[in-house]
Every structure is written in C-alpha cells, then in structure tokens.
Amino acid sequence: SSKLHYTTPNLTMASTALNIALASPSVRLARQPAATRSRAPQRLTRCAPIRCAATGGDEPQAVMASRRGVLSTALAVSLGCAFEGPALARPANEAGDGAMVANYLPETADGFFKYVVKGDRTPALRAEALEPYSFVLPGDFKELPVANAISGNYCQPRCDEPTTEVKFGSPSAGNVQIIIAPTTKLTRLQSPTIDQIGDLDGVINSIGPYITGDFIDPEDVTSSREINDNGRKYFVYELNTPYALTGTHNLASVTTSKNELVLMVVSTNDKQWNKSSDQLIRVVESFRV
C-alpha cells in the first residue's frame, strides 16, 4: 500500500478519517477483482484536488477517488477547527441566547425585566472578586456576547485593567454593560467604599475613560447624584459626550465591591436617547450590588 506524506501538521484528523474510510465496504469493493464487482456503472464525484506526496505503485482509480474524497472532507473539518474566530463568553442564561429578555426574565411591577447575575456567571464572580449584581431592562433588550479578551477570563482574580462582565443591547435604545476595574489604581485601602475612592467630581474624573473610551471634560457631565440603598452608596452620572467612542449620550452608576469598582454604563446615540431616555434612566438607577 502507498505511504502518504503530509506537509501540513494539522492533518492528524484527516489521516484518522482516511484510515477509517479505507476500511469501509465502499473502498473494499473498489479493491475486489473486476469479476466480483457489480456491473452497474458507478459515477465518481470529482473532488477538489488535495496535493500529497505518494510513493509506491499505481492504484485503481476508484480507490484514489475515494481517498481524495475522504481526505478532502477531513481536511475541511480539521482546518475549520484550526481557524475558528475569537472565543466569546457564553450568555448568562442559555434560554436568553439571542432572545429578548422579556421571554425569560421575570417582569417587574412597572413593566421592566429584572436581571440577577448568577454567582458563577463570569470569571470575576467565579474568582469571588466581587459580589453579584442586578438591574432591570426594557423587554426588547438582548444579551450580547463578551469577547474573552475583555472578559477577564485570562487574568482573574488579579486583573490590572478594566474588564467587561455582561452586555445587553437594543437597536432602538442602545447598549448596557457592567464593567469592573481594580480599586488598587485609585487607593491602597482594601475593600474601600465609593466615598473612600473620592467624591462625585473626583470619581467621574478617574473613571471617565471606562465610560466613554476617552477622557471627559467637566462640561460633559450634565448631572450627578448619589443613591443610598441597603448601606451602599452609588454615584450616578449623566453625560453629554458628542465625541465619545461609545455614544453621544452616556449614563453611569458606580459603586465598589471588595477591591473592584463596579460600573453600569448605558450608551446611546442621539436617536436612541431621544426615544428611550426615560427608560434608560430607570435602568441605570436600578443597578444594585
């Protein structure tokens, strides 16, 4: 039998598939003497050429065609696995994968839908780097995938840069995401409160790039206020950011959990803001850790 020498290291799967296929009845039939084969004409499908270096004598055309077909299929499978795109974190709720939150989250009394993150949902939560959080959303929002590169999957529990926990979006209202950042860049205190990080003006100057993708000017802040709930304080901001990377209007609510700043960021364009600003303010004010 011929020995095939592959020039690509990713062909282990192809070799295995070829060996299995050569043991199948269709290939054994091609090797039987001509007298024992069926006299019914066999139509061979011509496959895309696969170039391999072969040594040894000639083989019947049916065997070579079968081998080419098997090898072509195995190559497609193996190369497809080798060139997959960037890995994405799974959505928080399998039932919500691609579905509007109205289809799987519990409805609140005022017609929104409450999302409560599971304790093992994200790398930071699995590492116990922060506490679980919750918020409400309009019914037409869908959960969006988060790329592993920004999910903290490779650095928790000691990430030095901000990472994205979860993300939701609606074509008509914009995007909502939870972002965390280590407090160690702002204070040496362990498990600081938001007041120990700074006041309303000081905190927004520190976290502006996390919200807009760029530094913000004081005049970009159209309003700021505090919310106290269950012994925890939240700083809430409304930003008019016409040149921001994330959107022309941004809302943010920020607090601390253990050694992390935890931010809800809502980003919209002008059209989305004009249509859904009241709903989005309700969303950002609902954020709780």
Side-chain angles (χ1 to χ4, degrees):
S1 62
S2 299
K3 296 182 179 179
L4 299 179
H5 303 283
Y6 302 109
T7 58
T8 304
N10 284 334
L11 297 183
T12 302
M13 292 175 62
S15 176
T16 302
L18 178 61
N19 291 334
I20 294 172
L22 288 178
S24 69
S26 62
V27 175
R28 287 199 300 270
L29 176 62
R31 288 181 167 174
Q32 292 172 359
T36 63
R37 298 178 194 160
S38 171
R39 295 186 181 274
Q42 296 186 8
R43 183 176 179 180
L44 300 179
T45 301
R46 189 171 184 82
C47 302
I50 305 297
R51 300 185 179 277
C52 301
T55 61
D58 295 334
E59 291 186 331
Q61 182 180 0
V63 175
M64 295 303 293
S66 296
R67 288 190 174 187
R68 287 183 185 130
V70 171
L71 186 55
S72 177
T73 302
L75 268 173
V77 172
S78 61
L79 293 179
C81 295
F83 294 102
E84 289 179 344
L88 299 175
R90 298 291 297 173
N93 188 316
E94 294 295 337
D97 190 359
M100 293 188 296
V101 298
N103 293 331
Y104 64 94
L105 292 181
E107 188 172 2
T108 63
D110 57 351
F112 287 80
F113 296 86
K114 188 170 184 179
Y115 174 83
V116 181
V117 73
K118 296 180 180 179
D120 60 351
R121 167 64 182 86
T122 70
L125 288 166
R126 289 193 294 272
E128 299 183 349
L130 76 159
E131 300 156 280
Y133 43 82
S134 66
F135 48 88
V136 302
L137 292 165
D140 65 337
F141 272 69
K142 296 180 180 181
E143 186 166 7
L144 304 176
V146 177
N148 269 331
I150 62 171
S151 71
N153 199 36
Y154 302 117
C155 57
Q156 286 295 350
R158 299 185 181 276
C159 293
D160 293 329
E161 301 297 332
T163 57
T164 300
E165 286 280 290
V166 294
K167 186 175 182 179
F168 292 81
S170 162
S172 64
N175 289 330
V176 174
Q177 56 186 328
I178 304 299
I179 298 172
I180 63 173
T183 59
T184 52
K185 291 195 172 184
L186 302 175
T187 180
R188 293 184 178 180
L189 297 175
Q190 292 294 308
S191 299
T193 65
I194 192 67
D195 283 323
Q196 290 174 319
I197 298 295
D199 60 13
L200 275 168
D201 293 335
V203 168
I204 191 60
N205 289 333
S206 299
I207 68 173
Y210 305 158
I211 299 172
T212 66
D214 199 356
F215 290 98
I216 62 173
D217 296 323
E219 57 267 25
D220 293 338
V221 183
T222 59
S223 71
S224 60
R225 60 193 180 279
E226 299 178 2
I227 294 177
N228 289 280
D229 185 77
N230 198 27
R232 191 185 300 269
K233 183 180 289 187
Y234 301 81
F235 289 172
V236 180
Y237 302 93
E238 181 181 331
L239 308 174
N240 182 28
T241 52
Y243 305 109
L245 300 176
T246 53
T248 54
H249 295 270
N250 285 274
L251 299 169
S253 177
V254 57
T255 189
T256 58
S257 177
K258 299 185 179 181
N259 290 308
E260 300 285 346
L261 279 171
V262 190
L263 298 85
M264 165 179 273
V265 178
V266 180
S267 303
T268 73
N269 58 35
D270 288 334
K271 182 178 179 180
Q272 293 166 335
W273 179 253
N274 291 335
K275 179 181 179 181
S276 306
S277 59
D278 290 342
Q279 286 186 321
L280 298 176
I281 291 171
R282 167 75 173 99
V283 169
V284 78
E285 289 180 344
S286 73
F287 176 58
R288 296 292 183 269
V289 176

